[in-house]
Amino acid sequence: MTQIEQPLYPKVSSIYNKIMQLAIAIFIIIILMNLWLFSNERNQQTINQHFNDISQQYLKQTVSGITVLLPDSKKNIQRYIDELTANDWLKDISLYDKTGQLIFSSNNQISMNDLFGRSALKADRSDKFVPFVVEIRDDEVKGYVRITIVKKSLISALELSGKQNFDLFRLMLILAGVVGFLLTRGLNRFSRQGFRVDKK
């Protein structure tokens, strides 16, 4: 007695089902890739916003300290500026009077023309060193403070954490694809064996 496998539906229908399954799989992959790109972009925006917030907060603290010392001796102001620039992520601090003339600065001060590559033989470095400027004023403008932040030093830990998270997410997608393939193969064989019918 021989066993004959009975098809449950026409072969044409089987081809259409496979094409549909393939199309659904491609569509899901496209959605996942878009989600990954969107999440990556949102993460970068969050890092940039964090960088701006921290820089603005530090600038306000710097202005508060300088405002207190303005009536004091020049030596104390210069010492305060030098102490602040001991941070690795702070490139320089510049203090200008109300006319825009530089009156105090840290030792490694870089001019705006040099920073943006407008000086001779100077490249644009504004992507690495980001300046923030604010007025010093009460009833009238007394001067300006500029701090230049080393962006990479301030956000490197956040970027590393984000990269590790996205690497883990990518690995999870690959493993999910492998598991889906193995489950499909296993269930497909089980399905073929389960629908065999004895012909008497």
Side-chain angles (χ1 to χ4, degrees), residues 4-118:
I4 300 176
E5 191 173 340
Q6 299 291 333
L8 298 179
Y9 44 80
K11 291 183 179 180
V12 175
S13 177
S14 175
I15 293 174
Y16 287 156
N17 285 339
K18 290 181 179 179
I19 293 175
M20 183 180 297
Q21 291 171 359
L22 180 62
I24 293 174
I26 294 174
F27 180 71
I28 292 174
I29 290 174
I30 292 174
I31 291 177
L32 290 175
M33 290 300 296
N34 285 333
L35 288 175
W36 182 80
L37 292 174
F38 177 75
S39 180
N40 190 25
E41 183 179 350
R42 285 292 300 272
N43 182 65
Q44 192 60 47
Q45 290 176 354
T46 302
I47 291 176
N48 289 332
Q49 184 62 47
H50 175 76
F51 169 75
N52 289 329
D53 292 343
I54 293 297
S55 299
Q56 292 289 352
Q57 183 178 3
Y58 195 81
L59 179 59
K60 290 179 181 178
Q61 293 176 355
T62 303
V63 170
S64 297
I66 291 177
T67 302
V68 172
L69 294 174
L70 272 179
D72 206 344
S73 66
K74 295 181 179 180
K75 184 177 180 180
N76 288 337
I77 295 177
Q78 187 63 53
R79 183 185 305 160
Y80 177 69
I81 289 176
D82 292 338
E83 288 176 356
L84 290 179
T85 51
N87 294 307
D88 294 336
W89 47 271
L90 190 58
K91 172 65 176 172
D92 64 42
I93 297 177
S94 302
L95 176 61
Y96 304 88
D97 63 16
K98 60 182 180 181
T99 64
Q101 294 297 316
L102 181 66
I103 53 178
F104 293 102
S105 67
S106 55
N107 294 328
N108 53 351
Q109 195 260 0
I110 181 173
S111 69
M112 294 294 282
N113 287 334
D114 290 347
L115 181 62
F116 286 93
R118 294 182 179 178

Side-chain angles (χ1 to χ4, degrees), residues 3 20 25 43 54 56 62 64 88 102 110 114 128 133 135 138 153 164 169 173-174 180 190:
Q3 294 181 348
M20 183 180 297
N43 182 65
I54 293 297
Q56 292 289 352
T62 303
S64 297
D88 294 336
L102 181 66
I110 181 173
D114 290 347
K128 296 180 181 179
V133 182
E135 294 178 345
D138 43 22
S153 297
Q164 290 174 344
F169 178 72
L173 285 179
I174 294 173
F190 176 78

Side-chain angles (χ1 to χ4, degrees), residues 128-191:
K128 296 180 181 179
F129 307 118
V130 183
F132 293 87
V133 182
V134 71
E135 294 178 345
I136 302 176
R137 65 182 306 153
D138 43 22
D139 294 333
E140 61 180 14
V141 176
K142 292 184 176 181
Y144 305 90
V145 174
R146 172 172 67 90
I147 64 173
T148 306
I149 304 295
V150 184
K151 187 173 183 179
K152 192 68 176 179
S153 297
L154 194 58
I155 66 174
S156 57
L158 292 175
E159 286 184 334
L160 178 60
S161 178
K163 183 178 181 301
Q164 290 174 344
N165 288 335
F166 283 111
D167 288 343
L168 180 61
F169 178 72
R170 190 162 49 241
L171 178 61
M172 291 173 63
L173 285 179
I174 294 173
L175 291 177
V178 172
V179 170
F181 174 77
L182 294 176
L183 285 175
T184 302
R185 295 284 294 178
L187 293 175
N188 191 28
R189 291 178 180 178
F190 176 78
S191 176

